[in-house]
Amino acid sequence: MQIKLNKEIDSRISAESSSASAKESVKELERAMQRSSENSEREKKALQKELSYMKDDSKLSISKLNAELERMSLRAQNSEKEAKMLNEQLEDLKKQLNECLREKNETELRLLDSAPLSVQRNPTDDQKLIKLLQEELRNYEKEVHEARRLKSSHTNVELLSEKLLEEQSRRKRAETELSKLQEIEAKAQKLELELASCTSLLGNIPDVSSYSNIADLQRQALTDLNKLGEVTSRLKELEVTLEFAEISKQRAEGEATLAKERAESASREVKRLELLLTAVSEERDRLRKDHNMLSNQKTRDGDDMSSKKMESDLSQMEKVVRELETTLHEQRELISQQHAELNLMNEKLSIEARKAKSLEREGDQLRSQVALLESKLGHGDYSASSTKVLRMVNTLAMDSEAKQTIEALQAELKKTKERLQAIEELKGQADAGTVVDANVAEKLAQLKNQVATLEKREERYKAVFLERISVFRKACCSLFGYQIVMNDEQQPNGIHVTRFTLQSVYAQTDDEKLEFLYESGSTNIVVNGYTSQHEIAQQVDIFIRKMNSIPAFTANLTMESFNKRSIC
Amino acid sequence: MERVRAKFWQWGLIRGVWCGCSILYNRGVYPEESFGKVKKYGLPMLLTQDKAVKTFLTNLTSQLSEWLEGGKLQRIVLVIMSKATGEVLERWNFNIITDGEVVEKGAVKEKSDKEIMREIQAIMRQVNSCISFLPCLDEPCIFDVLAYTDSDTTVPFTWMESDAKLIENPQMVKLHSFDTKIHKVDTLVSYKVDDLDEQ
């Protein structure tokens, strides 16, 4: 039995320890749950704040992107227009060059055909000059073509390099985002495992009541994560649009640089054309001189017609050259105007950029003001100078209150009507009001007389009673030898008692008094200082307590007091 | 022209009555049995059958439509208050921005009935969805309607000036605004935060 007891005690102790440990574990789990819930709440709040910040940032970035896109599109359009203009000018210049070259060739042929004699004299020098000029022209043209090809290849190379850089940057960003995604996924898996472990622990513990809260927190966390994911996706979209905007910006800048380079090349070509023109004009002058020489020789030889033809051809050449010079001058002016316009556009762009920034700031301020106003509107604020708040006088509450008061008043009306009816009935029962009043007065007078007579009688009775009672007392005193004083008392228990105080006629002192209490037919002696004396106490014992006779006691006491008096 | 304008103002009045009834029904200001299902214009609607509420709403909406036509109405607020204490528990705020061209010049901007029906359905859905986050009204409540008008508006004898019946430190939720090409209405509900929610 003892062993069993010990075993049971041990088992109980182990059970208690296990329960204590379980309780402790439960408490720890509850604390952990609280911490996790607090953490989740904090995370939720932080996520919500981040969401709000992200939303605001996304809105701002969207607005900025839209403005930048518009700017870039305008720039691109302007650069395209400029490029078109420059291309047209280049084409015109090329056409003019080709025409000049053709005319030169024609004039050369004419010169060759028309002046055989002059060629005979100095054929080799002129031919050499022409050939040299032609070769130079061809070389220049080749150089121009090669330069253009080099430029186009260079621009292509630049574009390709830019594209390569963009793609490399995209790859890097994608890789970083992928790594971040992997990290986030790992964190999410860890959190899910922790949550699953906590939920399993809570499921095992029966008394834990916050399981549903965890599920709600999980759902809220999932929804917040989904929102985060959506926001991140939007951010990525915005980043993509930003990249596209940057690419378009870079393309526009490249096109602008190309257009500038083309303008520069056009100006260089113009300069070269000028140089060619000067060379052509110099050659013309030389040819003129030669022609003059030839013409002088012809006049010597007598051939005027051919010289006239040569002169007309030369005049036409001069006209063409002048036209070319005027076109060159106009193109120079156009180019200078375009440069000035470009500078103006750049200044306008900078001014507009500043305006856009100031507008963005104003927009942010306005948004904050709008938020404040919306909060005020929602709160119900208004300006008394421009707005009045009105409501109907007879609202439903007022109507219900009015109905209640009306019902209460109607109930009071009914009560008062009932009272009036009762009063009228009472009045109807009585014959006349004046007769009732007279009887009442007579009765009152009679009653008053009766009261007076009764009072008189009472006084007489009192007086008579006092006389009689005094006579009775005197008689009792003279007959029985005791002066009796009667007083009514009320004991603490509430019972009314009559106290009789007897003093013998033969008493030698005023202290020799006997006191008796009379209650409902029974008379009892009261112990006082006189009755507690030895002699009196013996008599009280003998006559009252043993013989139960107060008269014998009082008689014996009077005899003794008489004997004492007579002896003294 | 006049028919179209009359039709539009009629739609506005109807929209206002239906919106108010749906709020009263969903918030439990009046018992469910006091509302009757009525099919009008192809839509099943819950309208109050209480005579006192009906007369109150008809008198109210007639005056509001008059102010709407004159472009004097800035805002309509439906206030839900505690019957015992008179404390304001909810404010349904409908902010109205009127197109001045319609009011001053009488321009007509037509809208098809289908579009109007869709708008009404959208409004009802918004009001019904608010039940999910608004606190429960456990005590008996009454409602009142406030009209924010221009300061130069003449006050009819059945109306009087009132305070704005504001809520201290309210929680506010903005609903989707809708546009009728003549009026743009921004809806916002502000409510007193429940003590349990604060804890």
Side-chain angles (χ1 to χ4, degrees):
Chain A
M1 291 290 286
Q2 283 180 352
I3 292 161
K4 283 183 182 178
L5 271 169
N6 290 324
K7 282 182 182 177
E8 283 179 2
I9 290 160
D10 292 331
S11 65
R12 187 182 281 179
I13 290 161
S14 64
E16 284 175 358
S17 64
S18 65
S19 67
S21 64
K23 283 179 184 176
E24 286 176 358
S25 66
V26 163
K27 284 180 185 176
E28 287 176 358
L29 283 167
E30 283 177 355
R31 284 172 201 164
M33 281 299 298
Q34 283 177 358
R35 283 173 202 164
S36 65
S37 64
E38 286 172 2
N39 289 327
S40 63
E41 283 177 0
R42 282 174 202 165
E43 287 176 2
K44 200 174 38 166
K45 286 178 185 175
L47 286 168
Q48 284 175 356
K49 281 181 187 176
E50 285 179 5
L51 268 169
S52 63
Y53 289 140
M54 299 283 261
K55 281 179 184 174
D56 295 333
D57 291 334
S58 63
K59 284 178 186 175
L60 285 168
S61 61
I62 286 161
S63 62
K64 284 180 184 176
L65 280 168
N66 289 326
E68 284 180 5
L69 278 167
E70 287 175 1
R71 277 180 230 161
M72 297 315 300
S73 62
L74 287 169
R75 280 185 184 177
Q77 287 174 3
N78 290 326
S79 62
E80 284 177 0
K81 286 177 186 174
E82 286 174 5
K84 282 179 185 176
M85 290 281 287
L86 289 166
N87 284 323
E88 287 171 1
Q89 288 171 7
L90 270 170
E91 287 175 358
D92 293 332
L93 284 167
K94 282 179 186 176
K95 286 177 186 175
Q96 287 172 3
L97 262 172
N98 291 323
E99 286 176 0
C100 288
L101 288 167
R102 283 173 197 169
E103 286 171 355
K104 271 186 188 178
N105 292 322
E106 285 174 1
T107 51
E108 284 172 359
L109 288 168
R110 283 176 187 171
L111 279 167
L112 287 168
D113 293 330
S114 63
L117 292 170
S118 64
V119 170
Q120 284 176 4
R121 284 232 176 163
N122 296 315
T124 58
D125 293 335
D126 292 331
Q127 284 178 358
K128 282 178 184 177
L129 279 168
I130 289 160
K131 282 179 184 176
L132 284 167
L133 286 168
Q134 284 175 354
E135 286 175 1
E136 283 175 4
L137 276 169
R138 284 169 196 166
N139 290 326
Y140 286 139
E141 284 174 2
K142 283 178 186 175
E143 285 174 3
V144 164
H145 284 298
E146 285 176 2
R148 283 175 191 170
R149 282 174 195 172
L150 283 168
K151 278 177 191 173
S152 63
S153 66
H154 188 65
T155 52
N156 289 327
V157 164
E158 286 179 353
L159 285 168
L160 286 167
S161 63
E162 286 174 358
K163 284 180 183 176
L164 274 169
L165 289 168
E166 287 168 6
E167 285 177 0
Q168 284 174 359
S169 64
R170 278 183 192 173
R171 269 189 195 173
K172 286 177 184 176
R173 284 170 193 168
E175 285 172 0
T176 53
E177 284 173 2
L178 277 167
S179 63
K180 284 178 184 176
L181 268 169
Q182 288 174 358
E183 290 175 359
I184 289 162
E185 283 176 359
K187 284 180 183 176
Q189 284 176 0
K190 284 180 185 176
L191 285 168
E192 283 176 1
L193 288 167
E194 285 176 2
L195 275 167
S197 64
C198 288
T199 51
S200 63
L201 284 167
L202 285 166
N204 291 323
I205 296 161
D207 292 333
V208 173
S209 64
S210 61
Y211 187 77
S212 61
N213 292 329
I214 293 163
D216 294 334
L217 287 167
Q218 282 179 348
R219 285 168 201 164
Q220 285 176 1
L222 285 169
T223 54
D224 292 333
L225 283 168
N226 288 325
K227 285 179 185 175
L228 257 177
E230 289 175 0
V231 170
T232 51
S233 64
R234 284 180 190 170
L235 273 171
K236 284 177 183 174
E237 287 173 0
L238 288 169
E239 285 175 358
V240 168
T241 54
L242 261 171
E243 287 175 5
F244 280 121
E246 285 177 1
I247 290 159
S248 61
K249 182 182 173 183
Q250 288 171 0
R251 282 179 186 170
E253 285 176 354
E255 286 174 358
T257 53
L258 283 170
K260 282 181 184 176
E261 286 170 357
R262 285 172 188 171
E264 286 173 0
S265 65
S267 64
R268 285 173 199 166
E269 286 179 5
V270 163
K271 285 177 184 175
R272 285 175 187 176
L273 285 170
E274 286 175 356
L275 291 169
L276 283 169
L277 273 169
T278 53
V280 165
S281 63
E282 286 175 0
E283 289 175 8
R284 183 198 62 194
D285 293 332
R286 285 178 194 172
L287 286 168
R288 272 184 184 172
K289 285 177 185 176
D290 292 331
H291 179 68
N292 289 324
M293 291 287 285
L294 284 169
S295 63
N296 289 324
Q297 286 177 2
K298 276 177 186 176
T299 51
R300 288 178 191 172
D301 295 331
D303 193 358
D304 292 331
M305 293 297 287
S306 64
S307 65
K308 282 180 184 176
K309 283 182 185 175
M310 288 287 285
E311 284 176 359
S312 66
D313 292 333
L314 278 168
S315 64
Q316 284 176 2
M317 283 288 287
E318 283 175 359
K319 283 178 188 176
V320 167
V321 167
R322 282 171 196 167
E323 284 173 4
L324 284 169
E325 284 176 354
T326 53
T327 52
L328 271 169
H329 185 69
E330 286 171 3
Q331 283 170 10
R332 278 180 195 167
E333 287 177 356
L334 280 168
I335 287 159
S336 63
Q337 283 176 3
Q338 282 173 4
H339 279 298
E341 285 176 2
L342 275 168
N343 291 324
L344 285 168
M345 291 292 285
N346 286 323
E347 287 175 0
K348 283 180 184 176
L349 275 167
S350 63
I351 291 161
E352 282 173 3
R354 287 172 199 168
K355 283 181 184 177
K357 284 180 183 175
S358 65
L359 284 167
E360 282 178 4
R361 287 172 203 162
E362 286 177 7
D364 294 333
Q365 288 175 1
L366 286 167
R367 275 172 211 157
S368 62
Q369 286 177 6
V370 162
L372 278 169
L373 287 167
E374 281 179 354
S375 66
K376 283 183 181 178
L377 267 174
H379 191 250
D381 292 337
Y382 63 99
S383 68
S385 60
S386 64
T387 308
K388 261 194 289 197
V389 181
L390 304 172
R391 66 176 181 87
M392 288 188 77
V393 172
N394 294 325
T395 59
L396 287 164
M398 293 280 287
D399 289 337
S400 65
E401 286 176 2
K403 279 181 186 174
Q404 287 174 2
T405 54
I406 287 161
E407 286 171 1
L409 288 167
Q410 283 176 351
E412 284 182 9
L413 266 171
K414 281 182 185 176
K415 285 179 185 175
T416 52
K417 280 181 182 176
E418 286 170 2
R419 284 178 188 172
L420 275 168
Q421 283 177 358
I423 288 161
E424 284 173 359
E425 283 172 3
L426 286 168
K427 280 186 181 178
Q429 285 175 2
D431 292 329
T434 54
V435 173
V436 170
D437 292 334
N439 290 325
V440 167
E442 285 177 3
K443 284 182 181 176
L444 277 170
Q446 285 175 5
L447 287 167
K448 281 180 182 176
N449 291 324
Q450 286 176 5
V451 164
T453 52
L454 286 167
E455 283 176 356
K456 285 176 185 176
R457 280 184 193 177
E458 189 181 356
E459 287 175 1
R460 283 176 195 170
Y461 287 145
K462 280 181 183 178
V464 169
F465 179 76
L466 284 169
E467 287 176 4
R468 299 301 289 176
I469 200 71
S470 67
V471 169
F472 181 75
R473 282 179 183 172
K474 286 175 183 177
C476 286
C477 180
S478 63
L479 289 168
F480 298 104
Y482 285 98
Q483 287 180 356
I484 301 169
V485 176
M486 187 173 76
N487 292 317
D488 289 325
E489 288 180 359
Q490 189 174 3
Q491 285 183 342
N493 55 7
I495 297 166
H496 286 277
V497 169
T498 308
R499 183 184 284 272
F500 291 96
T501 307
L502 277 70
Q503 190 175 19
S504 176
V505 173
Y506 302 112
Q508 293 176 354
T509 61
D510 289 331
D511 296 332
E512 293 177 1
K513 289 181 183 177
L514 297 168
E515 291 177 352
F516 295 92
L517 287 173
Y518 179 81
E519 183 189 349
S520 63
S522 64
T523 308
N524 297 314
I525 188 164
V526 177
V527 178
N528 56 11
Y530 180 63
T531 56
S532 61
Q533 289 177 5
H534 181 69
E535 293 176 354
I536 307 301
Q538 280 183 350
Q539 291 178 22
V540 168
D541 287 329
I542 293 163
F543 291 106
I544 293 171
R545 284 172 190 161
K546 285 181 183 178
M547 292 181 182
N548 198 18
S549 172
I550 292 170
F553 168 70
T554 56
N556 189 34
L557 192 65
T558 56
M559 285 301 294
E560 286 183 359
S561 60
F562 174 75
N563 291 327
K564 282 179 185 177
R565 263 276 180 97
S566 62
I567 291 166
C568 292
Chain B
M1 180 88 83
E2 287 299 320
R3 274 190 198 172
V4 173
R5 290 191 69 196
K7 178 186 160 184
F8 168 75
W9 297 120
Q10 185 188 6
W11 273 119
L13 202 147
I14 288 162
R15 193 187 289 115
V17 171
W18 285 344
C19 200
C21 284
S22 68
I23 291 167
L24 295 175
Y25 174 78
N26 283 305
R27 300 307 293 136
V29 178
Y30 290 97
E32 283 183 37
E33 50 269 17
S34 69
F35 287 87
K37 232 178 200 178
V38 173
K39 194 161 186 182
K40 279 201 172 180
Y41 304 97
L43 289 170
M45 306 303 300
L46 285 161
L47 291 176
T48 180
Q49 304 299 314
D50 190 335
K51 288 180 184 177
V53 178
K54 266 187 180 177
T55 52
F56 176 77
L57 285 173
T58 48
N59 294 331
L60 183 85
T61 48
S62 63
Q63 182 61 54
L64 291 176
S65 62
E66 188 183 323
W67 281 330
L68 264 176
E69 283 189 42
K72 300 283 186 183
L73 192 62
Q74 296 175 8
R75 217 190 299 184
I76 300 168
V77 179
L78 188 138
V79 180
I80 296 174
M81 302 175 284
S82 167
K83 195 172 184 178
T85 61
E87 186 187 6
V88 180
L89 302 172
E90 280 180 20
R91 291 181 98 253
W92 291 78
N93 191 61
F94 299 93
N95 198 37
I96 298 162
I97 300 163
T98 310
D99 188 352
E101 195 181 352
V102 174
V103 175
E104 290 164 11
K105 298 177 186 175
V108 175
K109 296 185 181 178
E110 290 195 23
K111 200 160 191 177
S112 66
D113 288 351
K114 275 188 183 176
E115 288 181 25
I116 292 166
M117 301 282 234
R118 275 177 213 162
E119 283 174 8
I120 291 166
Q121 286 171 358
I123 295 158
M124 297 305 152
R125 271 185 227 122
Q126 281 185 30
V127 170
N128 294 333
S129 67
C130 290
I131 295 167
S132 60
F133 60 84
L134 288 174
C136 295
L137 300 173
D138 297 324
E139 53 184 325
C141 295
I142 52 173
F143 80 99
D144 200 356
V145 178
L146 306 177
Y148 286 60
T149 62
D150 294 342
S151 57
D152 59 348
T153 307
T154 53
V155 182
F157 69 93
T158 52
W159 288 71
M160 58 186 268
E161 289 201 31
S162 165
D163 65 316
K165 295 190 189 292
L166 300 175
I167 299 171
E168 282 186 12
N169 299 321
Q171 201 77 10
M172 288 185 274
V173 176
K174 193 176 176 186
L175 307 178
H176 290 294
S177 59
F178 58 91
D179 196 350
T180 65
K181 291 189 179 177
I182 296 170
H183 295 113
K184 192 190 169 195
V185 182
D186 294 325
T187 312
L188 189 142
V189 58
S190 58
Y191 56 95
K192 187 192 162 193
V193 180
D194 201 359
D195 294 334
L196 291 170
D197 291 339
E198 279 181 342
Q199 288 172 5

